[in-house]
């Protein structure tokens, strides 16, 4: 095609490897490289770097999970292991993100239970795993040690390190060979600082994933969108302290007013649409992993990402039935250019 | 002088030769031309964008969301869609978000049917339109009905540019130009300009979403750096034609589309894209704000609690959400921090005792309640003493996280 973009970047996003297959010392059916881009998201044919991944979020205590999801899953919700396996089979996410929400109970001490949960998820689901451990400094070190050890060799992605509390998680990542999510509140300088702190603790840059904090669509998403764009462009301009891949999970998306108060008849559809818009926008802003909670968002998002990617480069490993489907979609567009027979 | 202030147009100067006109024009004109679609209240401007990333300045003119109808449809069906476009309003963060207009597709092969369809649209509303017919003879039928209301003409191609340009010029309408190879767009643009049509919109005719975002980015970059001035026009995207409308809408809004054509969106999709468009086109230096004042949750009485907060919309809606969940009727007092969040407003000094004291007076809060207790955000705790002094109200420091407000009120609010 006869129009070229004018980007002339000097930097490159670093890569992070997630998941380890049997030959790599783990038990995952696939491992992913994320990052590696030399340009803005999806630019170039084929685009540089690796295609963004879609993570499906599950948890071990549903009491704080969005009501719209509990309603959708109903009796399909089981123990985290079965949940991960069934969701993986049916909806084909690239990876699973397990929130250990049970740790948020007051005076939580049952670290053996967490360990069992992690082991069970790893046994039942062959996908690479992201684990969100505690959010409380007082139990961080036990929680992350339990998760880290249970997943030793699997190259997990552990979250979430913050400026005030990153040592326990860094220690677990270093001891058991995992990567770390570094979260800062919508601020490029704070993101940079935290990356530097983590590196000083000994976490190498190829094991850090930036979480710039994603606000829900309509509730501050524009700040998150721009901070992701700024992190990406700073990295491409050569700032090595920001040249890590980005993860985006708009956890508040399914509890915003539009979803909560939607007409019962369309609430599921509103939830899926709201998540889809936020996640796809984040991928376009530069996120390498986008996370969702409604299973029906997953295939929509995979198709959209494939269409943006251009189908030019196969994802490392397999992505189930999605690729053929996408080729079909893009061809269809070619055929349907010009007058469009409006359906119905 | 007019040129320097951006008000005059070099093309209208009778004294300049072509070279001088080019030089003057390129340095004074915005890099992307401003094009107006439609007339009257609902008309909208597109273009005149300056940057590739919104954080570099801001995006100015949100894309027009044009809902498609077909000239194969019955009059009733067309008019139902048009009425929906006319009437749909989503009130978000204090502003009305609306669909922008109607795109009329010629699919029937019958020029008279196109004319009838345009008439059907016109009967219902004065909305901006896109006339979508590749055959100039058909286009003429549509323009005969609505040509003086500045519809967007879709489209001049390399085969039809002469006749389409004549129509655009005669009716004073903006014109979409479309080349199968986007590399030929600059040539086509120059040809149209040569035929006297200035108000152009570019359809990159991309064969995939991937191509669209590449080409659209290339157009934006080449336009704002003025490296290819002939690409300095707004971009068009037929989102419905991609077969993945939702993904195309997201991509279009984020990647510089100024006119999007879509098929009748369901309520969920409509809410989401109007919100995304609003988010992305918010000035990063000027956050969306609430009007300061007293807001009621439920039907509060003279004994109900009063909570102070800032006018950053995000803060307001977060707090309001938790207060609603708590089901305790109360008053929210919103003070003007110029759209800053609590912490940001405290840090910058915008939230201070004078502002609070003056606001309480101005909103006559003492007429609403019998008590004199004000709950302030946990993050504003450092101001509590000073607020008490300046306002004479007793200050209670609330939790930092709004999620804890229900629990807090149940325990602490015993008037
Ligand atoms: C986005 C952001 C900005 C945006 C502005 C966004 C806005 N419209 O306000 C920009 C980039 C412009 C900005 C600028 C600045 N910022 Co700033 N910013 C943030 C950031 C990342 C998020 C703020 C936010 O939107 N929070 C979400 C809203 C909803 O939170 P909120 O208003 O506090 O409301 C919550 C609670 O307070 C509570 N609540 C609200 N009302 C009420 C009422 C009652 C009664 C109760 C009980 C509870 C309650 O409920 C809400 C949800 O829990 C924070 C970091 C962080 N995560 O806090 C820094 C932060 C607030 N900024 C900070 C600073 C210092 C600044 C600047 C002064 C300098 C700078 N860093 O650039 C400027 C000041 C602006 C100016 N014009 O002078 C500091 C404040 C330090 C401090 N502790 O005082 C922070 C904490 C970052 C940091 N750690 O350094 N900022
Ligand atoms: S010479 Fe042309 S540009 Fe200068 S003042 Fe006269 S009309 Fe305007």
């Amino acid at each position: 095609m006869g129009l070229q973009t004018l980007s002339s970047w000097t930097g490159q996003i670093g890569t992070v490897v997630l998941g380890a297959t049997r030959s790599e010392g783990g038990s995952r059916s696939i491992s992913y490289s994320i990052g590696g881009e030399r340009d803005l998201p999806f630019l170039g044919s084929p685009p540089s770097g690796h295609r963004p991944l879609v993570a499906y979020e599950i948890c071990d205590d549903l009491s704080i999970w969005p009501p719209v999801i509990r309603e959708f899953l109903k009796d399909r919700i089981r123990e985290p292991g079965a949940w991960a396996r069934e969701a993986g089979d049916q909806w084909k996410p690239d990876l699973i993100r397990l929130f250990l929400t049970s740790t948020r109970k007051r005076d939580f001490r049952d670290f053996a239970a967490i360990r069992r949960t992690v082991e069970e998820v790893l046994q039942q689901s062959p996908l690479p795993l992201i684990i969100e451990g505690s959010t409380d400094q007082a139990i961080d070190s036990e929680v992350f040690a339990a998760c880290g050890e249970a997943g030793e060799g699997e190259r997990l992605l552990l979250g979430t390190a913050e400026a005030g509390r990153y040592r326990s998680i860094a220690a677990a990542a270093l001891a058991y060979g995992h990567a770390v999510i570094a979260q800062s509140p919508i601020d490029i300088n704070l993101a940079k600082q935290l990356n530097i702190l983590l590196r000083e603790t000994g976490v190498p840059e190829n094991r850090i994933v930036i979480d710039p904090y994603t606000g829900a669509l309509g509730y501050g998403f524009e700040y998150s969108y721009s901070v992701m764009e700024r992190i990406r462009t700073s990295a491409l301009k050569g700032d090595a302290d920001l040249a890590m891949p980005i993860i985006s999970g708009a956890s508040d998306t399914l509890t915003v007013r539009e979803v909560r108060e939607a007409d019962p008849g369309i609430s599921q559809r509103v939830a899926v649409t709201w998540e889809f818009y936020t996640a796809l926008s984040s991928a376009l802003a530069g996120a390498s992993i986008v996370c969702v909670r409604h299973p029906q968002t997953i295939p929509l998002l995979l198709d959209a990402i494939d269409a943006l990617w251009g189908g030019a480069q196969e994802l490392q490993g397999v992505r189930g039935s999605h690729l053929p489907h996408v080729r079909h979609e893009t061809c269809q567009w070619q055929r349907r250019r010009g007058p469009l027979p409006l359906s119905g | 002088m007019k040129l320097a202030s951006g008000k005059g147009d070099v093309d209208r100067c009778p004294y300049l030769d072509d070279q001088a006109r080019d030089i003057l024009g390129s340095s004074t004109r915005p890099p992307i031309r401003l094009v107006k679609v439609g007339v009257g209240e609902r008309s909208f401007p597109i273009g005149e964008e300056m940057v590739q990333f919104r954080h570099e300045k801001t995006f100015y003119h949100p894309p027009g969301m044009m809902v498609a109808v077909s000239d194969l449809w019955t009059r009733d069906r067309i008019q139902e869609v048009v009425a929906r476009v006319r009437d749909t309003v989503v009130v978000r963060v204090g502003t009305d978000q609306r669909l922008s207009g109607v795109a009329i597709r010629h699919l029937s092969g019958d020029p008279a049917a196109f004319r009838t369809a345009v008439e059907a649209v016109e009967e219902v509303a004065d909305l901006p339109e896109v006339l979508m017919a590749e055959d100039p003879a058909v286009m003429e039928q549509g323009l005969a009905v609505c040509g003086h209301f500045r519809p967007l003409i879709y489209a001049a191609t390399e085969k039809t540019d002469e006749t389409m340009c004549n129509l655009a010029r005669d009716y004073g309408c903006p014109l979409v130009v479309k080349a199968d190879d986007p590399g030929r767009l600059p040539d086509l643009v120059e040809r149209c300009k040569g035929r006297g049509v200035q108000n152009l919109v570019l359809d990159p005719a991309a064969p995939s979403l991937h191509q669209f975002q590449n080409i659209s980015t290339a157009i934006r970059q080449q336009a704002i750096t003025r490296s290819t001035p002939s690409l300095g026009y707004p971009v068009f995207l037929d989102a419905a034609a991609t077969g993945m409308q939702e993904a195309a809408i997201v991509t279009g809004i984020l990647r510089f589309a100024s006119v999007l054509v879509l098929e009748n969106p369901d309520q969920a999709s409509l809410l989401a894209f109007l919100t995304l468009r609003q988010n992305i086109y918010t000035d990063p230096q000027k956050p969306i704000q609430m009007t300061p004042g007293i807001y009621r949750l439920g039907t509060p009485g003279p004994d109900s609690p009063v909570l102070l907060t800032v006018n950053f919309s995000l803060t307001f809606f977060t707090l309001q959400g938790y207060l609603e969940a708590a089901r305790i009727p109360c008053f929210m007092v919103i003070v003007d921090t110029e759209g800053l969040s609590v912490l940001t407003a405290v840090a910058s000094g915008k939230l201070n005792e004078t502002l609070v004291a003056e606001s309480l007076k101005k909103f006559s809060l003492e007429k609403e309640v019998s008590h004199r207790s004000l709950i302030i955000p946990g993050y504003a705790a450092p101001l509590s003493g000073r607020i008490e002094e300046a306002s004479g109200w007793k200050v209670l420091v609330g939790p930092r996280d709004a999620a804890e407000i229900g629990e807090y009120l149940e325990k602490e609010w015993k008037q």
Side-chain angles (χ1 to χ4, degrees):
Chain A
M1 288 276 173
L3 273 188
Q4 296 305 316
T5 54
L6 303 177
S7 320
S8 57
W9 308 104
T10 50
Q12 180 174 12
I13 312 296
T15 54
V16 174
V17 179
L18 300 178
T21 59
R22 227 164 265 291
S23 65
E24 296 160 328
S27 65
R28 307 296 84 202
S29 63
I30 182 174
S31 69
Y32 303 106
S33 269
I34 55 168
E37 295 83 3
R38 295 177 169 280
D39 203 338
L40 297 171
F42 303 106
L43 276 197
S45 300
S48 60
H50 297 277
R51 185 198 315 239
L53 304 175
V54 176
Y56 176 55
E57 296 185 345
I58 63 172
C59 66
D60 68 341
D61 173 7
L62 279 154
S63 59
I64 61 163
W65 220 237
V68 67
I69 300 298
R70 283 185 291 180
E71 188 194 299
F72 176 78
L73 293 171
K74 279 195 194 101
D75 52 339
R76 268 175 287 190
I77 294 183
R78 317 210 189 297
E79 295 306 297
W83 188 1
R85 186 191 65 232
E86 283 167 28
D89 289 348
Q90 190 178 353
W91 305 97
K92 310 264 189 291
D94 294 311
L95 65 173
I96 302 287
R97 188 185 198 191
L98 168 66
F99 280 77
L100 294 170
T101 41
S102 63
T103 62
R104 302 193 192 169
K105 275 189 227 111
R106 211 168 281 226
D107 302 323
F108 176 85
R109 302 296 309 164
D110 194 357
F111 307 111
I114 288 177
R115 177 190 301 264
R116 279 196 304 278
T117 304
V118 172
E119 280 166 359
E120 196 204 321
V121 171
L122 284 167
Q123 252 162 37
Q124 298 223 28
S125 163
L127 296 174
L129 184 62
I130 306 171
I131 298 181
E132 289 296 329
S134 108
T135 51
D136 175 2
Q137 190 147 21
I139 54 169
D140 273 355
S141 108
E142 284 100 329
V143 170
F144 288 117
C147 302
E149 198 186 350
E152 183 163 16
E154 301 285 6
R155 283 203 295 238
L156 307 176
L157 179 56
L158 295 178
T160 298
E162 294 173 62
R165 43 177 288 272
Y166 60 90
R167 288 184 189 280
S168 310
I169 193 169
L174 287 172
Y176 305 108
H178 307 305
V180 168
I181 298 176
Q183 191 191 61
S184 42
I186 329 185
D187 185 314
I188 187 167
N189 297 316
L190 297 179
K192 186 171 164 140
Q193 264 171 37
L194 181 55
N195 290 341
I196 295 172
L197 287 174
L198 282 168
R199 296 244 299 277
E200 282 169 357
T201 318
V203 183
E205 66 269 17
N206 65 359
R207 288 216 239 143
I208 299 174
V209 177
I210 300 173
D211 177 356
Y213 185 89
T214 305
L217 180 64
Y219 297 85
F221 178 69
E222 66 272 35
Y223 293 100
S224 307
Y225 178 81
S226 283
V227 92
M228 284 189 258
E229 286 204 324
R230 289 179 63 200
I231 290 172
R232 176 65 164 251
T233 48
S234 300
L236 291 173
K237 282 179 194 156
D239 189 336
D241 294 325
L242 287 168
M244 292 79 168
I246 294 173
I247 183 171
S248 163
S251 315
D252 304 331
T253 296
L254 296 183
T255 46
V256 303
R257 189 196 186 96
E258 280 76 359
V259 177
R260 263 188 293 120
E261 292 176 10
D263 229 292
I266 62 164
S267 64
Q268 294 293 330
R269 170 95 183 114
V270 173
V272 170
T273 311
W274 217 260
E275 266 200 335
F276 175 81
Y277 270 71
T278 317
L280 189 60
S281 299
S282 300
L284 275 156
S288 291
I289 305 177
V290 290
C291 312
V292 295
R293 293 188 177 180
H294 201 302
Q296 288 181 326
T297 317
I298 300 167
L300 294 177
L301 207 45
L302 288 169
D303 281 357
I305 288 174
D306 282 335
L308 276 168
W309 192 262
Q313 201 176 315
E314 296 289 319
L315 192 70
Q316 198 185 330
V318 268
R319 189 182 261 181
S321 60
H322 293 291
L323 282 174
H325 178 50
V326 165
R327 290 214 186 86
H328 164 75
E329 286 280 354
T330 16
C331 297
Q332 198 179 18
W333 188 1
Q334 256 148 358
R335 256 184 283 120
R336 285 170 65 182
R337 267 327 279 198
L340 176 82
L342 289 190
S343 48
Chain B
M1 289 320 281
K2 276 196 165 171
L3 273 181
S5 63
K7 284 189 192 121
D9 185 343
V10 268
D11 294 317
R12 292 172 56 194
C13 166
Y15 306 108
L16 296 171
D17 62 23
D18 282 351
Q19 204 189 347
R21 184 171 295 164
D22 260 12
I23 293 168
L24 280 174
S26 63
S27 62
T28 55
R29 241 186 246 134
I32 298 174
R33 189 178 175 95
L34 187 81
V35 174
K36 284 198 189 108
V37 183
V39 294
E41 207 190 325
R42 298 283 287 266
S43 69
F44 61 91
I46 50 176
E48 220 164 73
E49 301 293 344
M50 306 302 225
V51 292
Q52 181 180 357
F53 301 101
R54 62 186 288 284
H55 62 254
E56 292 173 304
K57 176 104 182 83
T58 185
F59 291 169
Y60 291 96
H61 298 116
M65 311 300 290
M66 311 297 276
V67 179
V69 298
S70 154
D71 68 354
L72 283 172
W73 292 1
T74 62
R75 189 166 158 251
D76 284 355
R77 183 166 173 204
I78 292 175
Q79 296 192 333
E80 199 180 303
V81 171
V82 177
R84 179 160 181 244
V85 175
R86 180 192 61 198
D87 300 337
T88 300
V89 190
V90 173
V91 184
R92 282 209 87 262
V93 208
T95 63
D96 287 356
Q97 299 293 316
R98 291 170 162 270
L99 290 162
S100 313
V102 178
I104 304 142
R105 286 190 204 269
H106 173 60
L107 302 171
S108 65
D110 172 9
F114 189 60
R115 185 187 179 117
T116 312
V118 178
E119 281 165 354
V121 173
E122 283 296 329
E123 276 168 32
V124 177
D126 302 331
L127 290 167
E129 287 151 314
V130 188
L131 299 184
M132 304 182 75
E134 308 241 329
D135 177 350
V138 177
M139 186 60 71
E140 207 166 354
Q141 290 296 312
L143 287 169
V145 181
C146 72
H148 296 293
F149 306 133
R150 215 188 288 128
L152 179 60
I153 298 179
Y154 183 92
T157 64
E158 286 168 305
K159 290 196 196 90
T160 60
D161 65 300
E162 184 176 353
T163 34
M164 285 295 191
C165 281
N166 290 341
L167 289 172
R169 211 186 40 232
D170 291 351
Y171 284 99
C173 292
L175 174 68
V176 182
V177 295
K178 175 178 157 188
D180 286 336
D181 177 351
R184 297 220 289 275
L185 275 175
D187 270 0
L188 190 53
V189 163
E190 289 309 318
R191 258 164 49 195
C192 293
K193 277 169 68 184
R195 298 184 199 286
V197 184
Q198 305 287 343
N199 292 319
L200 300 170
V201 175
L202 312 176
D203 180 4
S208 72
L209 221 46
H210 169 72
Q211 290 288 349
F212 173 79
Q213 84 108 25
N214 270 270
I215 298 166
S216 184
T217 303
I219 291 175
R220 173 59 64 97
Q221 289 177 333
Q222 298 194 30
I224 59 174
T225 57
R226 299 180 197 268
S227 67
T228 313
S230 317
L231 290 174
Y233 297 90
V235 166
F236 180 95
L237 172 62
D238 189 342
T242 62
M244 357 173 60
Q245 174 157 303
E246 306 291 336
I249 291 175
V250 173
T251 309
I253 290 174
L254 302 182
R255 289 295 177 264
F256 323 122
S258 287
V259 179
L260 284 142
V261 174
L262 36 133
E263 271 177 43
N264 212 5
D266 69 14
Q267 188 61 20
S269 161
L270 184 118
L271 261 176
F273 68 67
L274 291 179
T275 304
L276 180 65
R277 181 180 72 167
Q278 182 186 36
N279 272 186
I280 296 302
Y281 279 79
T282 299
D283 186 342
Q285 267 93 51
K286 210 169 146 276
I288 308 180
Q289 306 177 17
M290 301 299 301
T291 313
I294 298 176
Y295 289 71
R296 278 157 238 266
L297 274 112
T299 33
D303 295 339
S304 300
V306 178
L307 298 103
L308 176 83
T309 194
V310 295
N311 76 326
F312 179 34
S313 66
L314 182 54
T315 304
F316 173 83
F317 285 110
T318 312
L319 182 64
Q320 187 202 35
Y322 288 113
L323 283 171
E324 275 173 359
R327 294 178 191 285
I328 298 172
C330 61
F331 296 95
M332 284 167 85
V333 177
I334 317 280
V335 299
D336 186 0
T337 54
E338 294 166 31
L340 288 185
S341 74
V342 173
L343 263 179
T344 327
V346 172
S348 66
K350 294 239 159 75
L351 181 60
N352 56 49
E353 64 279 15
T354 322
L355 174 70
V356 176
E358 280 173 3
S359 304
L360 294 183
K361 265 219 195 79
K362 194 161 86 194
F363 308 147
S364 307
L365 195 65
E366 74 280 355
K367 292 194 188 131
E368 302 283 349
V369 289
S370 51
H371 63 82
R372 292 288 175 270
S373 292
L374 180 68
I375 304 172
I376 67 168
Y379 286 120
L383 302 174
S384 61
R386 277 178 276 153
I387 294 177
E388 285 201 340
E389 262 169 50
S391 67
W393 284 58
K394 181 176 165 232
V395 169
L396 305 174
V397 177
R400 292 180 160 199
D401 188 343
E404 290 158 22
I405 192 69
E407 213 177 310
Y408 172 87
L409 287 178
E410 252 155 47
K411 271 201 211 124
E412 308 288 332
W413 187 255
K414 302 182 190 92
Q415 284 294 318

